[in-house]
């Protein structure tokens, strides 16, 4: 069980016991010292939870143009040979479209020109890979929040799954395709982008052309490259091996905070 699931389960249990107390009535509650202790600990819990949320919404550090790395080291897949990807690459991604579907009111198919018209952002941030290296790059892209608002998330949508074009590992059951997932706190974070430019130029193939995720409060493997489709889901346990991402399926943490 991840720390996140553990915490959620704990909060749920605390909320349930608190709910029971409310039903018992306020008078009886305040008279009972035991209930007071529960209430006080619940208050501490709320504060801790609040801190957690506030922390998740804080901005990642941004850097100055002089800090930009000369080479943004490509890693993982750097030249996908999947036929569909090759066909798009051959024509400079002219016919490529990002699909947005799943738990949305209005599924979308957005070209690069469409994405450039959406509310965007440019930011200079540091990318940290678990392998122990970092690079600073300038990213420009469409903010994920406004893009999702355009599609209209259904009430039960809880995660955004990013389906990628590349197969990083050949497996017999077809679970070698790269994918990632983030929750709605990260999806709506102001620095969460679907980036189409690196250092003022169209995103190079080795860094994820035509579109890659930037979710700046998390580690490198969350930064999905070659993004083809965003799928809004309530739960990701039915996707691939069920842990929410290619590396998560191979033992890495789902929430890779830095
Ligand atoms: N589709 C896809 N996305 C991916 C990967 C990959 O192999 N395929 N590798 C991840 C890892 S481990 C890192 S560190 C970054 C590397 O991004 P870069 O090539 O721009 O440095 O992409 C991440 N996103
Ligand atoms: Mo990485």
């Amino acid at each position: 069980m991840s720390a996140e699931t553990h915490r959620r389960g704990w909060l749920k249990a605390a909320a349930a016991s608190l709910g029971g107390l409310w039903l018992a009535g306020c008078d009886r509650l305040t008279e009972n010292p035991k209930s007071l202790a529960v209430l006080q600990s619940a208050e501490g819990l709320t504060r801790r939870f609040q801190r957690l949320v506030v922390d998740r919404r804080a901005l990642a550090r941004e850097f100055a143009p002089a800090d930009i790395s000369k080479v943004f080291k490509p890693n993982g897949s750097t030249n996908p040979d999947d036929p569909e990807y090759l066909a798009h690459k051959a024509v400079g991604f002219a016919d490529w479209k990002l699909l947005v579907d799943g738990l949305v009111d209005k599924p979308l198919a957005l070209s690069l020109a469409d994405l450039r018209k959406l509310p965007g952002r440019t930011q200079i941030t540091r990318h940290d890979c678990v392998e122990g290296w970092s690079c600073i790059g300038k990213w420009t892209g469409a903010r994920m929040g406004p893009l999702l608002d355009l599609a209209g998330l259904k009430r039960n949508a809880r995660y955004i799954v990013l389906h990628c074009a590349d197969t990083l590992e050949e497996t017999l059951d077809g679970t070698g395709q790269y994918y990632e997932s983030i929750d709605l706190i990260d999806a709506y974070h102001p620095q969460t982008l679907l980036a189409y430019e690196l250092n003022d130029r169209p995103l190079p193939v080795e860094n994820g052309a035509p579109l890659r995720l930037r979710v700046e409060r998390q580690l490198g493997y969350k930064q999905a490259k070659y993004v083809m489709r965003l799928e809004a889901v309530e739960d990701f346990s039915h996707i691939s091996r069920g842990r929410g991402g290619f590396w998560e399926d191979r033992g890495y943490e789902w929430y890779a905070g830095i």
Side-chain angles (χ1 to χ4, degrees):
M1 180 159 50
S2 75
E4 191 63 32
T5 331
H6 180 76
R7 201 151 39 219
R8 249 185 276 126
W10 185 51
L11 277 170
K12 233 190 214 157
S17 72
L18 195 62
L21 286 172
W22 289 132
L23 284 180
C26 292
D27 284 58
R28 248 178 65 209
L29 187 70
T30 41
E31 275 163 24
N32 183 341
K34 224 169 154 191
S35 308
L36 264 184
V38 171
L39 261 188
Q40 270 154 14
S41 77
E43 234 190 312
L45 195 73
T46 310
R47 267 201 300 275
R48 264 194 302 262
F49 183 65
Q50 186 70 18
R51 258 205 306 274
L52 188 78
V53 170
V54 168
D55 191 45
R56 291 276 318 274
R57 290 181 197 275
L59 293 182
R61 180 171 170 201
E62 295 194 11
F63 295 78
D67 301 321
I68 295 172
S69 306
K70 288 201 175 59
V71 177
F72 198 99
K73 177 187 155 74
N75 199 40
S77 292
T78 53
N79 198 12
D81 58 3
D82 302 69
E84 197 191 341
Y85 184 80
L86 289 177
H88 283 302
K89 190 175 91 168
V91 294
F93 304 103
D95 312 322
W96 173 92
K97 282 194 165 120
L98 172 72
L99 301 181
V100 184
D101 61 11
L103 298 174
V104 297
D105 294 327
K106 199 173 73 160
L108 306 172
L110 303 168
S111 67
L112 282 167
D114 296 332
L115 285 161
R116 283 179 178 274
K117 282 185 214 132
L118 291 178
R121 194 172 197 277
T122 295
Q123 60 204 28
I124 302 174
T125 53
R126 197 183 66 205
H127 172 111
D128 297 310
C129 174
V130 280
E131 292 167 357
W133 54 269
S134 304
C135 281
I136 294 176
K138 179 180 182 183
W139 304 101
T140 301
R143 289 189 46 216
M144 193 186 274
L147 190 159
L148 294 176
D149 285 342
L150 204 64
L153 288 181
K154 291 197 189 291
R155 285 185 63 115
N156 52 339
R158 290 190 61 204
Y159 304 98
I160 305 301
V161 178
L162 301 104
H163 297 277
C164 305
D166 57 314
T167 307
L168 189 52
E169 187 189 12
E170 296 293 342
T171 60
L172 291 175
D173 61 355
T175 57
Q177 198 188 330
Y178 207 91
Y179 76 106
E180 258 304 338
S181 61
I182 58 175
D183 66 14
L184 296 187
I185 296 182
D186 267 331
Y188 279 88
H189 188 287
Q191 289 169 319
T192 298
L193 307 181
L194 290 155
Y196 41 72
E197 279 181 17
L198 170 59
N199 299 336
D200 300 313
R201 315 191 99 113
L203 193 60
V205 165
E206 54 194 17
N207 302 107
L211 196 72
R212 66 110 39 101
L213 175 68
R214 292 307 307 171
V215 53
E216 304 290 1
R217 305 291 312 283
Q218 297 204 53
L219 286 171
Y221 62 88
K222 296 297 291 190
Q223 322 296 327
K225 306 195 283 185
Y226 317 112
V227 175
M228 305 293 278
R229 175 180 168 217
L230 304 185
E231 183 190 7
V233 298
E234 185 167 11
D235 171 76
F236 48 68
S237 59
H238 62 287
I239 296 170
S240 204
R241 297 186 194 166
R243 294 180 171 255
F246 177 90
W247 285 114
E248 290 85 333
D249 283 340
R250 288 154 183 81
Y252 284 47
E253 286 287 315
W254 178 78
Y255 188 77
I258 38 177

